[in-house]
Amino acid sequence: MRLRFRENGPYVLDLPEGTAFRLGGQEMRLERAKLALCRCGRSAQKPFCDGSHKEGFQAEAGELEAEP
Ligand code: FES
């Protein structure tokens, strides 16, 4: 699994489109081939990124890789 930290933006998980996941007991599916999670704390749709980080959030880019 690879988790990217976008410069001045969200955590991004690259997963196949349509991947099923569960959030708060609710079954969901990815509509895109990535999942962007809020890192700035400003999103009105937490835990998802809604683009609010564009209003001045600053953080370095990075990447975390893990193998099972
Ligand atoms: S990182 Fe995008 S809204 Fe927080």
Side-chain angles (χ1 to χ4, degrees):
M1 181 189 82
R2 185 171 75 131
L3 179 66
R4 292 183 285 130
F5 316 142
R6 292 187 54 194
E7 184 176 5
N8 305 328
Y11 300 109
V12 177
L13 267 171
D14 294 308
L15 298 165
E17 185 177 325
T19 296
F21 63 101
R22 200 173 317 181
L23 177 65
Q26 184 179 355
E27 297 282 339
M28 304 178 89
R29 283 197 182 274
L30 286 183
E31 295 175 4
R32 297 185 197 172
K34 63 178 66 173
L35 180 60
L37 300 171
C38 181
R39 182 161 68 134
C40 73
R42 296 177 182 158
S43 175
Q45 299 176 5
K46 291 184 192 86
F48 306 108
C49 170
D50 70 356
S52 297
H53 60 268
K54 295 175 184 166
E55 299 169 14
F57 176 66
Q58 294 186 328
E60 292 184 17
E63 190 172 290
L64 179 152
E65 285 192 62
E67 294 189 27

